[in-house]
């Protein structure tokens, strides 16, 4: 099997040290395995994606010394492909239109919590508090036809009932480490959203379709996506897609111990660059060896 991995940034802000770590880890694994390192621009959220961020990302990757093996691909080129997958899930009765607004959902959670804590998903968001059975499918179809705003949700209980228990392979220690099986728990997520009016496929749906289409053998990404892999594994089985090996790497934290993020204003790689940092300074900051570590060590070794 040939080794293919990918770095999949969303072009809604500049890259920071967390992205640098992920990209360099992927790139190094591909180099070691004699495989390919792909870059996929995850611009499915067309409201937030901007071409100037995309250009900045590719520039940063070149500068860091981890350019992709091939020209990058974009999710926005694949919209029809996502629609076909939704149609397949729909034909099997696995997705349904849901009409509650975000405000209605949070009101329902608040009222349920009067009777005790309402379950949260692994990211800490309350599980969708309604049930498909509360509204007959015919009425849902009629409201959808009438143009009522809705999202498409996965009927998690039905999907899990169909496929049974699931596992994924997690490479231990590093992206090329020996894989060990992890038990997936998709029920912990409830009826997740797979499409919205302004987003033709959710991250979960798009990522499994793109990874399969690009024949990704190893998905190397941050630990914050570890639990989401349960949903991804389920969708792979439902859609008849192959299962890559996963490796969820450590996260780069800020001074308060929180995961770096664009929204909390993490310093961008571009800012590091303009203040004189070199790619090896970035590697040092995220505890990766300098680019030419091996040859440097050889030079230092005294002749015997
Ligand atoms: N686009 C996602 C992000 O920027 C990456 C998802 C993945 O690697 O599966 O967090």
């Amino acid at each position: 099997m040939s080794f293919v991995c990918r770095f999949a940034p969303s072009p809604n802000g500049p890259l920071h040290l967390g992205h640098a770590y992920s990209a360099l880890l992927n790139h190094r694994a591909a180099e070691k395995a004699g495989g390919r390192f792909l870059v996929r621009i995850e611009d499915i959220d067309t409201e937030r994606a901007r071409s100037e961020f995309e250009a900045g990302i590719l520039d940063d990757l070149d500068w860091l010394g981890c350019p992709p093996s091939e020209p990058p691909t974009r999710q926005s080129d694949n919209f029809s492909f996502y629609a076909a997958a939704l149609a397949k899930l729909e034909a099997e009765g696995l997705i349904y239109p849901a009409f509650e607004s975000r405000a209605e959902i949070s009101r329902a959670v608040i009222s349920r919590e009067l009777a005790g804590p309402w379950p949260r998903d692994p990211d800490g968001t309350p599980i969708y508090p309604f049930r498909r059975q509360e509204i007959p499918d015919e009425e849902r179809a009629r409201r959808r036809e009438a143009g009522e705003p809705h999202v498409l949700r996965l009927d998690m209980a039905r999907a899990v009932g169909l496929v049974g228990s699931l596992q994924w392979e997690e490479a231990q220690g590093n992206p090329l480490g020996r894989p060990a099986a992890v038990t997936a728990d998709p029920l912990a997520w409830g009826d997740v959203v797979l499409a919205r009016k302004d987003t033709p496929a959710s991250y979960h749906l798009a990522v499994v379709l793109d990874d399969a289409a690009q024949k990704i053998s190893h998905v190397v990404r941050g630990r914050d996506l570890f639990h989401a892999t349960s949903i991804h594994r389920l969708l792979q089985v439902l859609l008849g897609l192959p299962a890559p090996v996963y490796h969820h790497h450590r996260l780069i934290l800020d001074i308060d111990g929180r995961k770096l993020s664009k929204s909390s204003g993490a310093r961008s790689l571009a800012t590091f660059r303009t203040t004189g940092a070199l790619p090896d300074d970035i590697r040092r900051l995220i505890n990766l060896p300098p680019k030419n570590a091996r040859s440097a060590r050889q030079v230092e070794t005294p002749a015997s």
Side-chain angles (χ1 to χ4, degrees):
M1 178 187 66
S2 61
F3 181 98
V4 188
C5 64
R6 88 302 193 269
F7 173 59
S10 307
N12 53 19
L15 298 187
H16 53 60
L17 290 176
H19 297 110
Y21 184 70
S22 205
L24 287 166
L25 210 61
N26 268 285
H27 184 262
R28 195 173 60 169
E31 246 178 19
K32 276 197 177 157
R36 289 180 299 141
F37 165 63
L38 307 184
V39 170
R40 180 169 73 229
I41 302 292
E42 300 219 316
D43 58 352
I44 202 147
D45 182 351
T46 45
E47 301 267 293
R48 294 172 67 214
R50 299 234 220 95
S51 55
E52 65 267 28
F53 287 131
E54 181 181 323
I57 288 169
L58 300 174
D59 213 33
D60 283 345
L61 294 178
D62 260 354
W63 176 76
L64 271 177
C66 55
S69 318
E70 292 165 23
T73 53
R74 260 170 231 96
Q75 287 188 323
S76 53
D77 293 334
N78 293 344
F79 285 172
S80 56
F81 174 48
Y82 306 143
L86 282 170
K88 174 171 161 52
L89 294 174
E90 178 139 38
E92 287 164 23
L94 292 169
I95 55 177
Y96 63 93
F99 304 93
E100 301 84 10
S101 64
R102 287 180 209 263
E104 279 169 317
I105 292 175
S106 54
R107 274 199 300 275
V109 170
I110 290 167
S111 85
R112 268 154 229 220
E113 294 219 303
L114 296 174
W118 184 251
R120 297 316 201 240
D121 70 21
D123 280 351
T125 304
I127 299 282
Y128 177 60
F130 300 102
R131 291 178 46 227
R132 178 180 189 170
Q133 295 74 5
E134 288 166 32
I135 301 177
D137 279 351
E138 305 70 54
E139 189 184 332
R140 290 186 188 275
R142 189 186 49 70
R143 288 170 66 175
R144 185 183 186 179
E145 287 281 294
E148 208 175 307
H150 64 275
V151 299
L152 295 176
R153 288 187 179 271
L154 180 65
D155 184 337
M156 190 58 90
R158 188 178 287 193
V160 170
L162 197 67
V163 305
S165 67
L166 288 173
Q167 298 186 320
W168 81 81
E169 294 292 312
E170 177 80 19
Q172 304 295 300
N174 69 75
L176 301 175
R178 180 194 290 266
V182 177
T183 302
D185 182 15
L187 284 171
W189 291 92
D191 289 1
V192 288
V193 171
L194 291 191
R196 296 183 188 278
K197 184 162 88 27
D198 45 356
T199 322
S202 68
Y203 157 67
H204 300 305
L205 183 63
V207 80
V208 296
L209 290 166
D210 291 333
D211 285 339
Q214 295 185 287
K215 299 194 166 40
I216 301 299
S217 66
H218 287 67
V219 171
V220 178
R221 60 186 180 190
R223 274 204 77 81
D224 51 336
L225 291 166
F226 182 86
H227 291 290
T229 310
S230 288
I231 308 171
H232 302 169
R233 189 66 203 106
L234 174 64
L235 290 172
Q236 283 157 359
V237 176
L238 294 173
L239 294 166
L241 306 173
V245 172
Y246 288 85
H247 175 72
H248 292 94
H249 59 70
R250 69 183 170 90
L251 299 177
I252 305 297
L253 306 178
D254 69 13
I255 201 156
D256 299 318
R258 281 178 314 219
K259 175 190 163 219
L260 292 182
S261 71
K262 291 165 191 161
S263 50
S264 66
R267 182 191 283 208
S268 68
L269 295 181
T271 306
F272 277 109
R273 276 164 79 173
T274 51
T275 51
L278 297 173
D280 271 353
D281 297 319
I282 302 294
R283 288 170 192 257
R284 223 179 339 267
L285 288 173
I286 51 183
N287 254 312
L288 286 177
K291 187 161 172 44
N292 293 315
R294 205 188 298 131
S295 46
R297 226 176 291 130
Q298 279 164 359
V299 172
E300 279 162 26
T301 309
S304 52

